[in-house]
Amino acid sequence: MLLRTLRRKLHSVADRFRADQSGGLMVLIAFASPLVIGGLAAGVETGVWYLAKRQAQQQADSAALAAARAKADGISDFTNLSAIATRDAVRNGFQAVSPNSVVIGNPPTSGAFVGVNNTVQATVTIRVPLTFSKYFMGTTALTVTVRAVAGTQTITTGSSTGCVMALDSSSSNAIHFNGNVSANLADCTIVSNSSNSSAVKFNGNVVVTAKSIYTRGGVVQNGNVTVNLTTAQQVSQSTAAADPHAGSTIAAFGACNHTNFSVSGNGSTTMSGGVYCGGVSISGNRTINMNPGTYYINKGDFTMSGNATLACATCTGTSGVTIVLTSDDGTGIGSMSVSGNAVIDLKAPSGSSDPYRGYVVYQDRRATTGNGFNLTGNGVINLTGAIYAPSAAINFKGNAALAAGRKCVQLIGRTVQFSGNANLDVSECSNYGVTQITAGASSYQLRLLE
């Protein structure tokens, strides 16, 4: 009896032992703990990595914007742009210690804006230390790289299609349409920097079609005047329009190739580029065939009269003619005069390497203030490109032949007077590399592009 009771108790203990799983749970916990802890660590550090990447992106954005702003302000040196970009990134939390870096692409070297000059790329690289995950990932830190592209967009409150400009700051009638005038200034803006109440004047039987008028002063109309503008005129403006050619210079030239060059009567003459000392005079029924090139008029005028004809038949493609009125010592700088029934048909050179790209006539700005620069007469005056005489009083009466591909006539003088028929157009000036006349204040807007 006692033996049977003892046997039952032993079986009961064995059954309870077999049924008891508490020890197995501990073993499972022991095996699963590293995975659970690693998973929790990875979850926590994934959030840290995400935050680090967002901060790096903010730093790249600020670096790109800072570099783009500096570039728009005229800073193009790579070292300076990089320093400015890094400084702004530091202000936004970037740690400027190795191996962290800010690399500037000027312009961008990848993405949709590769080679676009008004854009800058900033690439920020940072190292993010690992805490828990380093035991499972075999490294102590992760590398995070982000990029941003920023650029500028120019904003102009006025017009960038000026075709005639008077630089004088105070004269009355700085731009003057006088007498019987029919002027078609196709989609062009008339620009006067004079603050005079009569800075732009229309006087007589005048019909003018233009885009707009921009002046620091006022506009006066006397007589039978019709002015058709597609955009309202802007008078009494506080900002003078900048001379688009203010930074241009005259290239060095050598000794005289010709002295007191003069031809008249009948027949034809061929001229080639070079230095013409004492001026150039063409009259009678003479036909002058100019070869492409630069014609330096050293201390003398360039005059045409009678029934003379001046043209460049071989000015094809990017080749053209530039007449430069200058002086080797700054004195005696001449002017230009076309009168009678003279016909002139020339276009400016447009090659990117030509020092006078876009200029068909260029008068040295050292010329006597108010010198007479007369493009008048009854013949056809077809000068394609910029006619730049910043010290001159330009008198223009031209029946310009504005053929397709040659719709580019830009007049800039100290003052400008129109008489007779005048046709100006700048719609194709980009073909010749002519810098635009921009009337009104310009600014730029910074934008993140990528």
Side-chain angles (χ1 to χ4, degrees), residues 43 76 139 175 182 236 382 395 437 450:
S76 58
T139 182
I175 293 182
S182 176
S236 303
N382 186 5
N395 183 10
I437 299 171
E450 287 186 348

Side-chain angles (χ1 to χ4, degrees), residues 85-101:
T86 302
R87 181 189 63 197
D88 250 49
V90 169
R91 289 173 177 172
N92 284 273
F94 176 75
Q95 300 295 316
V97 294
S98 181
N100 296 348
S101 65

